[in-house]
Each structure stands twice: as structure tokens, then as C-alpha cells.
């Protein structure tokens, strides 16, 4: 693109943003980017400055902060900490529905001074994978399902989490999977969540009560992977903000309560021809295609190497356990919820694969990117899947890492994945996660004090 074209594009972008903000009388704008952990980073600025600002900047090092706010010991970025240029994606501008004054939020993409997109940005990683599909004439389609727990406010991290008290005045003590009355216990909260989502045009579909005490699940309508990642990213923030206003917490930890199931972000994924819109996974009469089988095979081969993105935190691996309603392997089957890769019953055009490995604590951009990347590698390598499982996948043993350390090792050993998502990105992400892993081992748990203090 010529410099003149870039200037025209920037002018058009500023003009559309200015009109949007003026029409809604916005006084502030939250300029947001997601970091490796999916935390919203950025700047808040007056609306009057936002549409005049041509060069909003943040240091590149913002991506390599750990979840505790530290930086990795390994230096994987430019030691001079150069600035990135932030460019707003006009398609992501939304009102902040809980703000006291009219406030906008807009997700930004990050660029270097020479015009290249920043390779450390999770949004860039996902866009890179989508582009690979596009070059083949394919269009990926996804639909996340996001689980979370409601818990009592917990201001002392030494105390275990507990289910909150609902309208009955009593906490939930038994599992109420798909229970309508159990959801109604928190009707005022969910009314706020739905209202907030509607104002932000987040396309959430159904709300159900999941297996755990005060565990819920929100399903998103299927669509473009980048748009759905944006929506999942914003929904997490929305859900937490709504819960604060009802004096409780909403948590997306993978395993927040020891005696309850973990929380997942299942990813339904399919692929269509970008010109015709027809599924490339099944024929009109429902016959599964070679590309479908290869996509599954790619997921089977590469998910174990991508676990650092599907289970990105030390807590994530508490969910990957036999009997915990989470998959322990990459077996696949038709309408089988005990395996890592489920193929739901559907019409041929809707033929899809549900990746059930991913936890709710993921960065949605990276989880969706890696899930699509695994399937993509299977298709271009012409891989063949195993036979579908008809019984319980829990009886077939573990095929997934049991710790973040093992997952990071497997990631670094997988050259095809590293090349696909970027060697520098993998080095930086691994450095951040290693730092978090080491920080975790500085903490002595209550279990150790209870059982080891006087017994060993």
C-alpha cells in the first residue's frame, strides 16, 4: 500500500471514529490490546484527543508481562523497549456499558514504525493463521463455549473459594447441571450481563447451568474467528464487571474449586470454501471428506505440542484429570463428550469439530489460533486420523501434558507449529510462562503446611 493510500485510510478511520464518538457523546475512550494472558492493557484518553491522535503508542514490552506483573529473566524483546504504534480496529468500537459517563472501548492492532504488524501481539498471531487459510481458498468458522464460576468475594487468597449466596439466601451446595431454578438464583446478575452484551453487540446465544456449583456456560453464535476472539475477550471483562456490581466474583480459572469440575472454553471449528460458502468437511449427502479427516488428524498430532496455549497457567493442569469432566487425550468420536475432539450431530453444512481441551483461562485469540493451526497442518500434510472412539475416552489413558513445564518443552520441540506462529513469539511466550511457573514454586501451599509440616 502506498504512503498516500495509508494516509487516506488513516483519515477515513479517524473520520468514522470521530462521528461514532460524537453521536454518542462519548467523553473517554479506552484503547485496548490483549496481552499474552488475555489481560486488557492500554490507555484511557479523552475522546476529543482520541480522534486527533495519529500516533498512539505503547512499549513493545507490554506483551511480555507475566500475570503477576513481572518480566521474564530471558530477554526476548528489544532491550531498548521501542514503542509500537496502535491502530484502532473500527469494527471493534463499542460503548462501555458499566461506565458512569459515556465511554467507548476499542481494540487496537500494533505496528512497528516500518508498517509491519507486531509479531508478539496475540491478535496478529490469529490474523496470521486466518491468512494461511485464506491463501488456500478456505474460510475457518468458530463458535466458542465459555464456562465460568460465580463465587463469593474473596479478599484473602489463603481462603478457599465458595459458591455465592443467591436470591434464596443460601449458597448452592449440590451440582445442578442444566438446572433452570439454579440459574434463576442469580437472575439480576444475568439480566445485567445480557444487557451489557447487547449494548456491546456481543453475539451470545444460550446460557446454561453447568455441572459445578454455581458454574455457568455461555455459548457464542458461530462466525469469523477474529470477531469471536474479540467477543470472548470482551465477554470475560463484561462478566467480571457485572459480578462486581452484585458483590460477587465471576472467575474463568480453569479449576477454581477443588471438589468441582473445571471450566473450559470449547472451540467448535469448521471450514468452508471462501467463494461458495460450502463446507469442505462434508458433502451434501453427509459424507465426511478427506480434508475433514486430515483436520482431525492435525488436531490429534499437534494439540499435545500446543498445550501451553490451551492450558496456559499452573492451575490449568488441575482440570486435566481423569473423572473431572475434562478430556485427558486427543481421541475423537461422534457425539462423545469423553474425548478431546467431539463431532456433534449436525446437518452436513454444519459439520464441525469441537475441541474440548481448551480451558476457560486461555487467551481466546491464542487458543483459537492454535486450534485452527493444528487442523491446518493436518490438512496441508495430508494426515490420517485414528478410528473414532465409541466408548469412554477416559479409559484410554493420558495423551496430554500434566504440567506447564512439560507443555512448554513440547512446544519448543515442534518446529512446524513454531514456524507457523512465529519463532520470536514462541520464545517470548515461553519466557513469560516459565517465569510464571517459577514464581508459583515460591509459594508454599496450605496442603504442604497441613500434611508435611509435622509428618516428614
Amino acid at each position: 500500500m502506498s504512503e498516500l493510500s495509508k494516509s487516506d485510510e488513516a483519515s477515513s478511520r479517524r473520520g468514522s471514529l470521530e462521528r461514532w464518538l460524537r453521536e454518542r457523546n462519548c467523553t473517554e475512550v479506552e484503547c485496548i490490546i490483549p496481552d499474552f494472558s488475555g489481560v486488557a492493557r492500554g490507555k484511557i484518553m479523552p475522546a476529543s484527543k482520541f480522534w486527533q491522535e495519529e500516533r498512539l503508542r505503547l512499549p513493545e514490552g507490554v506483551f511480555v508481562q507475566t500475570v503477576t506483573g513481572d518480566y521474564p529473566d530471558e530477554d526476548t524483546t528489544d532491550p531498548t523497549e521501542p514503542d509500537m504504534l496502535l491502530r484502532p480496529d473500527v469494527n471493534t468500537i463499542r460503548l462501555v456499558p458499566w461506565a458512569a459517563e459515556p465511554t467507548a472501548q476499542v481494540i487496537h492492532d500494533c505496528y512497528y514504525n516500518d508498517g509491519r504488524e507486531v509479531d508478539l501481539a496475540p491478535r496478529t498471531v490469529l490474523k496470521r493463521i486466518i491468512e494461511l487459510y485464506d491463501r488456500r481458498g478456505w474460510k475457518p468458522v468458530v463458535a466458542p463455549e465459555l464456562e465460568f464460576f460465580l463465587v463469593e468475594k474473596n479478599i484473602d487468597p489463603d481462603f478457599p473459594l465458595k459458591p455465592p449466596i443467591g436470591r434464596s439466601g443460601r449458597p448452592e451446595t449440590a451440582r445442578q447441571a442444566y438446572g433452570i431454578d439454579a440459574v434463576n438464583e442469580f437472575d439480576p446478575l444475568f439480566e445485567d450481563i445480557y444487557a451489557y452484551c447487547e449494548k456491546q453487540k456481543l453475539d451470545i446465544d444460550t446460557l446454561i447451568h453447568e455441572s459445578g456449583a454455581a458454574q455457568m456456560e455461555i455459548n457464542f453464535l458461530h462466525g469469523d474467528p477474529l470477531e469471536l476472539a474479540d467477543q470472548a475477550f470482551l465477554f470475560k471483562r463484561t462478566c467480571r464487571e457485572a459480578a462486581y456490581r452484585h458483590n460477587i466474583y465471576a472467575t474463568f480459572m480453569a479449576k477454581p474449586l477443588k471438589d468441582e469440575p473445571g471450566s473450559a472454553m470449547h472451540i467448535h471449528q469448521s471450514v468452508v470454501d471462501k467463494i461458495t460458502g460450502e463446507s469442505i468437511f462434508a458433502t451434501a449427502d453427509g459424507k465426511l471428506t478427506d480434508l475433514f479427516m486430515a483436520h482431525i488428524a492435525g488436531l490429534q498430532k499437534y494439540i499435545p505440542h500446543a498445550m501451553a496455549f490451551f492450558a496456559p497457567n499452573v492451575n490449568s493442569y488441575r482440570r486435566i484429570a481423569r473423572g473431572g469432566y475434562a478430556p485427558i487425550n486427543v481421541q475423537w468420536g461422534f457425539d462423545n463428550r469423553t474425548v478431546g475432539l467431539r463431532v456433534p450431530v449436525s446437518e452436513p453444512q454444519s459439520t464441525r469439530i469441537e475441541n474440548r481441551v481448551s480451558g476457560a483461562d486461555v487467551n481466546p485469540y491464542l487458543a483459537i489460533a492454535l486450534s485452527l493451526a493444528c487442523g491446518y497442518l493436518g490438512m496441508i500434510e495430508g494426515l490420517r486420523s485414528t478410528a473414532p472412539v465409541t466408548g469412554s475416552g477416559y479409559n484410554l489413558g493420558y495423551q496430554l501434558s500434566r504440567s506447564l513445564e512439560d507443555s512448554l518443552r513440547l512446544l519448543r520441540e515442534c518446529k512446524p507449529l513454531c514456524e507457523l506462529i512465529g519463532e520470536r513469539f514462541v520464545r517470548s511466550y515461553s519466557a513469560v510462562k516459565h517465569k510464571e511457573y517459577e514464581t508459583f514454586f515460591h509459594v508454599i501451599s496450605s496442603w504442604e503446611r497441613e500434611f508435611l509440616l509435622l509428618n516428614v
Side-chain angles (χ1 to χ4, degrees):
M1 184 182 293
S2 69
E3 290 302 319
L4 183 59
S5 298
K6 289 180 181 178
S7 177
D8 290 342
E9 180 190 358
S11 178
S12 174
R13 184 170 59 247
R14 286 196 301 273
S16 62
L17 290 170
E18 179 180 356
R19 286 191 299 274
W20 194 96
L21 294 169
R22 287 191 185 279
E23 287 169 0
R24 291 159 180 81
N25 298 315
C26 289
T27 57
E28 285 187 333
V29 181
E30 297 179 350
C31 307
I32 300 171
I33 60 171
D35 72 0
F36 286 170
S37 297
V39 175
R41 309 281 183 184
K43 294 182 177 181
I44 300 175
M45 60 193 310
S48 59
K49 297 281 188 182
F50 176 73
W51 62 63
Q52 300 171 13
E53 183 64 58
E54 296 185 20
R55 295 197 173 270
L56 183 64
R57 298 173 183 269
L58 281 176
E60 183 186 59
V62 73
F63 286 119
V64 294
Q65 289 185 78
T66 69
V67 75
T68 61
D70 296 321
Y71 291 89
D73 299 326
E74 181 184 354
D75 189 5
T76 61
T77 59
D78 189 326
T80 65
E81 284 206 78
D83 273 345
M84 307 177 295
L85 303 180
L86 271 57
R87 184 177 300 166
D89 182 340
V90 295
N91 297 314
T92 68
I93 191 166
R94 293 167 165 89
L95 286 172
V96 179
W98 52 84
E101 297 291 333
T103 301
Q105 57 184 331
V106 59
I107 300 172
H108 287 60
D109 288 311
C110 303
Y111 294 82
Y112 295 114
N113 287 318
D114 60 7
R116 292 177 298 121
E117 286 197 81
V118 174
D119 55 351
L120 298 184
R123 225 167 174 259
T124 300
V125 174
L126 177 52
K127 288 162 71 176
R128 183 174 182 169
I129 301 302
I130 295 171
E131 174 61 25
L132 292 174
Y133 275 83
D134 186 71
R135 291 176 192 170
R136 299 270 177 169
W138 300 330
K139 181 180 178 181
V141 178
V142 302
E145 298 175 347
L146 194 50
E147 299 170 348
F148 59 96
F149 275 90
L150 301 177
V151 297
E152 276 189 3
K153 287 187 73 171
N154 180 285
I155 59 174
D156 188 337
D158 281 335
F159 282 85
L161 300 175
K162 297 189 295 184
I165 294 173
R167 65 177 184 175
S168 67
R170 303 176 65 183
E172 193 174 310
T173 55
R175 296 180 180 179
Q176 301 288 341
Y178 300 98
I180 298 298
D181 290 341
V183 173
N184 290 342
E185 281 283 293
F186 303 99
D187 266 350
L189 167 61
F190 291 119
E191 286 171 4
D192 281 351
I193 290 176
Y194 272 108
Y196 288 171
C197 288
E198 185 176 352
K199 288 182 179 179
Q200 296 175 91
K201 293 183 171 57
L202 303 184
D203 295 327
I204 60 174
D205 190 12
T206 55
L207 166 69
I208 64 171
H209 194 294
E210 259 295 343
S211 301
Q215 185 186 30
M216 310 295 169
E217 177 184 285
I218 286 282
N219 298 333
F220 292 82
L221 297 174
H222 67 275
D224 175 78
L226 185 61
E227 292 180 8
L228 268 298
D230 285 340
Q231 291 190 41
F233 168 62
L234 293 173
F235 176 78
K236 283 187 171 185
R237 189 176 184 222
T238 297
C239 195
R240 284 190 288 259
E241 287 288 344
Y244 292 152
R245 281 153 178 75
H246 291 267
N247 207 35
I248 58 177
Y249 290 164
T251 179
F252 294 88
M253 284 178 63
K255 181 72 171 177
L257 290 91
K258 68 174 184 178
D259 295 323
E260 299 294 341
S263 290
M265 189 183 84
H266 298 155
I267 305 169
H268 291 251
Q269 58 195 69
S270 59
V271 185
V272 300
D273 185 285
K274 74 173 185 179
I275 296 175
T276 67
E278 296 297 318
S279 173
I280 68 169
F281 277 0
T283 60
D285 60 0
K287 181 181 178 181
L288 299 177
T289 66
D290 289 342
L291 285 174
F292 172 83
M293 302 307 296
H295 197 93
I296 284 184
L299 289 163
Q300 289 187 305
K301 178 178 179 179
Y302 289 108
I303 278 180
H305 295 279
M307 277 298 288
F309 300 99
F310 301 129
N313 302 297
V314 288
N315 174 262
S316 308
Y317 296 86
R318 300 186 188 278
R319 172 178 163 264
I320 309 296
R322 197 186 304 272
Y325 296 95
I328 60 173
N329 52 47
V330 288
Q331 301 294 331
W332 76 281
F334 295 101
D335 201 21
N336 187 338
R337 286 183 167 84
T338 69
V339 293
L341 304 168
R342 170 177 173 257
V343 179
V345 177
S346 67
E347 296 297 320
Q349 179 61 20
S350 301
T351 300
R352 63 194 184 275
I353 303 158
E354 179 188 12
N355 177 352
R356 297 176 59 82
V357 174
S358 181
D361 56 339
V362 296
N363 177 318
Y365 298 94
L366 298 179
I368 291 172
L370 269 294
S371 195
L372 292 175
C374 293
Y376 173 84
L377 286 171
M379 292 194 291
I380 65 169
E381 292 176 7
L383 301 180
R384 298 297 298 174
S385 71
T386 61
V389 171
T390 55
S392 173
Y394 298 129
N395 297 330
L396 299 178
Y398 287 92
Q399 293 176 313
L400 301 174
S401 305
R402 302 301 307 280
S403 75
L404 182 58
E405 185 177 39
D406 284 345
S407 293
L408 292 169
R409 175 181 54 80
L410 288 171
L411 172 63
R412 292 192 303 274
E413 292 173 356
C414 186
K415 187 174 181 180
L417 266 184
C418 291
E419 289 180 347
L420 213 61
I421 61 178
E423 296 278 359
R424 181 169 177 261
F425 171 80
V426 170
R427 287 199 311 272
S428 297
Y429 183 85
S430 297
V432 167
K433 291 301 170 181
H434 269 299
K435 181 68 174 180
E436 291 176 357
Y437 189 69
E438 292 167 1
T439 303
F440 169 75
F441 273 94
H442 290 171
V443 178
I444 308 302
S445 70
S446 59
W447 186 93
E448 292 164 281
R449 290 191 291 271
E450 181 174 356
F451 294 104
L452 303 181
L453 182 67
L454 301 177
N455 294 323
V456 295

